[in-house]
Amino acid sequence: MSDPVLPLGGARFDGLIAVEEVPQGMVALRGSLDAEAVKAAVTELTGAAMPDPLRATRQGDHALLWMAPDELLILLPRADGPQAARDLADTLSGEHALVTDVSDARAVFALSGDDGRLRETLAKLTSADLSPGAFAPGTVRRTRLAQIPAALWLTEPGVARVLCFRSVARYAFDLLSEAGREGSAVEVL
Amino acid sequence: MLILTCPCCGVAADEIELAPGGQAHIARRGPDSTDAAFEEYLFLRDNPRGVHFERWRHAMGCGKWFHAARCTATNEVFGTYPAQTTEPPQEIRDRIAERRTDQPKDSRA
């Protein structure tokens, strides 16, 4: 198999917050998220329980992100994507479900820094309410980042993941770098 | 800015996260309908100054279609409800009746 190539080759920015493009295995699952067979299958694969709406659950380097009422994104190590997608598709072969390895279709950015500055950097780009009261750690929110759709996942205070389509990776990285530029702190969140 | 709560995922979505889908509750006509009925289904839309039932899609969020009741003059939102219905739910009609005494009880005309 050929080596995976990151859209921006692991670009990194340091400013108010650090933005780093990271390799990430991603498997998209469409189906009934409340079906027992689906819940059991994803828990068996990742060790994490099915998340509540707009939430994520983690187990080690695996995570489950609730993307829509019928869509789940499974995060796992980069190299495991294709095999995990095949295994999960086999497990769910009798169920009404669709499993796809989307590791090459998306770009993932790891954001880290002061919790307030991180929230502000994202708040400059999206209409989602990122105040600590409305956006607690563990929240997943698909929204709009300037001109593109993106998913925001606050893993813990001061650490977040931003997921977007691979084709707009450069735009997303430039946006985050510009919004997180030194000297541009708003200091309200 | 218009903010609609998506009934599918529960997010209070800003207008820029949504894609408008035009008038809701349009009865679909097939090839065996009359020309007049088909024309109405295909081309003719209400353009009320007041309460309007619309389709919206949470395009940048969960991706689901839903319906919203909104006043086109004031942008007041009376509520949102799932798209799997052929007419506005009673709860939404009650809220409109409560807020808008100038509107007929069934304001879909």
Side-chain angles (χ1 to χ4, degrees):
Chain A
M1 205 186 103
S2 50
D3 293 332
V5 176
L6 286 178
L8 305 177
R12 186 183 167 92
F13 166 83
D14 287 286
L16 286 178
I17 60 164
V19 180
E20 188 180 8
E21 188 196 21
V22 291
Q24 178 73 67
M26 285 169 273
V27 173
L29 167 69
R30 299 294 295 254
S32 310
L33 301 189
D34 47 7
E36 290 303 326
V38 174
K39 286 185 187 174
V42 296
T43 301
E44 187 195 323
L45 180 69
T46 63
M50 182 65 80
D52 291 330
L54 305 174
R55 303 285 297 174
T57 52
R58 297 168 81 175
Q59 181 63 51
D61 48 9
H62 290 69
L64 299 175
L65 274 59
W66 189 96
M67 302 297 271
D70 58 355
E71 185 178 348
L72 188 74
L73 188 68
I74 301 161
L75 303 189
L76 62 182
R78 182 65 180 82
D80 297 354
Q83 189 57 47
R86 277 194 294 273
D87 292 347
L88 190 57
D90 285 346
T91 313
L92 296 174
S93 57
E95 296 293 315
H96 182 66
L98 176 74
V99 181
T100 321
D101 175 23
V102 294
S103 309
D104 280 324
R106 313 270 167 90
V108 180
F109 298 100
L111 277 53
S112 58
D114 176 75
D115 190 52
R117 300 297 82 71
L118 190 143
R119 288 171 184 274
E120 276 175 18
T121 303
L122 291 170
K124 288 175 190 173
L125 304 168
T126 173
S127 59
D129 186 353
L130 287 153
S131 58
F135 208 94
T139 302
V140 175
R141 174 84 147 84
R142 290 171 90 177
T143 183
R144 183 181 175 127
L145 217 55
Q147 301 293 329
I148 56 168
L152 315 178
W153 173 31
L154 193 64
T155 55
E156 55 197 84
V159 183
R161 289 274 188 285
V162 174
L163 296 84
C164 66
F165 286 119
R166 183 186 182 102
S167 56
V168 291
R170 167 55 62 186
Y171 178 78
F173 180 78
D174 287 351
L175 276 181
L176 292 165
S177 309
E178 184 63 24
R181 205 165 62 175
E182 204 69 63
S184 69
V186 188
E187 300 188 350
V188 289
L189 289 177
Chain B
M1 176 122 33
L2 188 61
I3 296 176
L4 300 175
T5 301
C6 172
C8 301
C9 66
V11 159
D14 213 280
E15 192 179 344
I16 58 169
E17 243 177 71
L18 304 166
Q23 186 180 336
H25 307 303
I26 292 169
R28 180 170 288 223
R29 304 291 176 190
D32 53 350
S33 62
T34 63
D35 282 357
F38 192 75
E39 182 199 19
E40 183 178 347
Y41 154 62
L42 202 57
F43 298 115
L44 305 185
R45 296 291 179 265
D46 296 336
N47 185 19
R49 182 178 184 276
V51 178
H52 193 32
F53 298 96
E54 298 170 314
R55 301 167 73 225
W56 286 88
R57 192 169 88 89
H58 194 188
M60 301 252 180
C62 67
K64 303 296 175 205
W65 284 97
F66 63 94
H67 288 170
R70 175 180 72 98
C71 174
T72 58
T74 64
N75 248 354
E76 176 177 5
V77 176
F78 302 103
T80 55
Y81 51 101
Q84 289 72 25
T85 174
T86 52
E87 54 183 43
Q90 193 57 43
E91 177 201 351
I92 300 283
R93 293 177 194 225
D94 289 347
R95 212 168 304 150
I96 294 168
E98 189 183 301
R99 295 282 305 153
R100 299 295 292 265
T101 48
D102 58 323
Q103 293 280 333
K105 277 270 180 271
D106 182 3
S107 50
R108 288 172 58 202

